[in-house]
């Protein structure tokens, strides 16, 4: 049973550039949530997708956007990158029918902005 | 504003010791409390607690929730070096968004 997968593993970008991160949920899951984890901190909720729509959003600017595809996979896009966007980006999947609370995380994408 | 606070922030113990990690929460329309173990990257799911006073156990790990006092504890007995990790606690309201604490870094020395 495949778990949550994310790509790429690492990414280095320059300030002002744009980045796209990808996530495939655990088999059978239909909801994807994205989190940003700065060094030494707990993950912070960015947004959540279900049925190809953004359902919840945390306190992140519009530079952060996302998408969910019919196969439940998801993308996170960040425009106009800032140094402060350097972090580990985690994707979590869950099954809405069982409640979206039990979330399983992927290995993350480490983004470094220089 | 929703908030989850963990204590202590870091802990150093020796193999065989028992540790207790604390998590207090203030989450609107609270539904569940989750514990994760994070070693390198992916937080690994440990427990989800929804009912007060019912202990959940998995091997040497156990956890309990007190919805009246708004806290949870995670116990690890007979610690091993492989238990060294960051332990994250997260609260969830009725939206399913997880609000994480800052984590407790546990180091188990041989």
């Amino acid at each position: 049973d495949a778990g949550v997968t994310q790509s790429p593993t690492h990414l280095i970008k320059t300030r002002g550039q744009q980045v796209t991160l990808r996530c495939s949920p655990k088999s059978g899951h239909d909801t994807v949530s994205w989190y940003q984890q700065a060094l030494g901190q707990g993950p912070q909720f960015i947004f959540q997708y279900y049925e190809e729509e953004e359902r919840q959003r945390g306190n992140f600017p519009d530079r952060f956007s996302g998408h969910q595809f019919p196969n439940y996979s998801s993308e996170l896009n960040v425009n106009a990158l800032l140094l402060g966007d350097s972090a580990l980006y985690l994707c979590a999947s869950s099954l809405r029918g069982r409640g979206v609370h039990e979330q399983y995380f992927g290995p993350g994408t480490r983004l470094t902005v220089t | 504003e929703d908030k989850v606070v963990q204590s202590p922030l870091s802990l150093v113990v020796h193999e065989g010791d028992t540790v207790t990690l604390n998590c207090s929460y203030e989450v609107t329309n609270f539904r569940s409390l989750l514990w994760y173990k994070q070693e390198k990257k992916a937080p690994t799911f440990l427990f989800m607690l929804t009912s007060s006073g019912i202990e959940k156990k998995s091997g040497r790990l156990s956890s309990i929730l007190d919805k009246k006092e708004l806290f949870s504890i995670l116990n690890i007995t007979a610690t091993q070096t492989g238990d060294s990790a960051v332990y994250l606690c997260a609260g969830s309201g009725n939206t399913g968004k997880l609000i994480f604490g800052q984590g407790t870094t546990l180091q188990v020395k041989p």
Side-chain angles (χ1 to χ4, degrees), chain B residues 75-95:
Chain B
N75 281 319
I76 309 174
T77 59
T79 52
Q80 302 171 357
T81 54
D83 295 326
S84 296
V86 175
Y87 290 83
L88 295 165
C89 165
S92 177
N94 57 6
T95 64

Side-chain angles (χ1 to χ4, degrees), chain A residues 9-10 35 37 40-43 45 48 56-58 88 90 100-110, chain B residues 1 31-32 34 36 38 40-45 48 88 92-103:
Chain A
T9 306
H10 296 90
Y35 294 82
Q37 187 176 24
Q41 302 294 319
F45 176 78
Q48 183 181 88
Q56 293 289 325
R57 190 176 182 93
L88 179 67
L90 294 163
V100 294
H101 318 282
E102 191 169 319
Q103 299 183 16
Y104 294 85
F105 284 84
T109 294
R110 172 72 63 189
Chain B
E1 185 182 332
R31 292 281 295 275
S32 55
L34 296 92
Y36 290 87
Q38 187 174 31
K40 299 230 169 154
K41 280 195 172 180
T44 305
F45 176 82
M48 185 174 78
L88 295 165
S92 177
N94 57 6
T95 64
K97 157 186 161 181
L98 296 183
I99 298 116
F100 282 88
Q102 62 273 62

Side-chain angles (χ1 to χ4, degrees), chain B residues 48-87:
Chain B
M48 185 174 78
L49 304 152
T50 56
S51 301
S52 233
I54 298 174
E55 185 182 52
K56 288 213 172 180
K57 289 195 76 166
S58 177
R60 297 177 293 102
L61 277 65
S62 64
S63 184
I64 197 161
L65 176 67
D66 185 329
K67 290 169 79 170
K68 183 178 176 187
E69 300 297 329
L70 307 183
F71 79 87
S72 174
I73 61 172
L74 175 70
N75 281 319
I76 309 174
T77 59
T79 52
Q80 302 171 357
T81 54
D83 295 326
S84 296
V86 175
Y87 290 83

Side-chain angles (χ1 to χ4, degrees), chain A residues 25 45 71 74 93 108:
Chain A
F45 176 78
N71 67 352
S74 176
S93 77

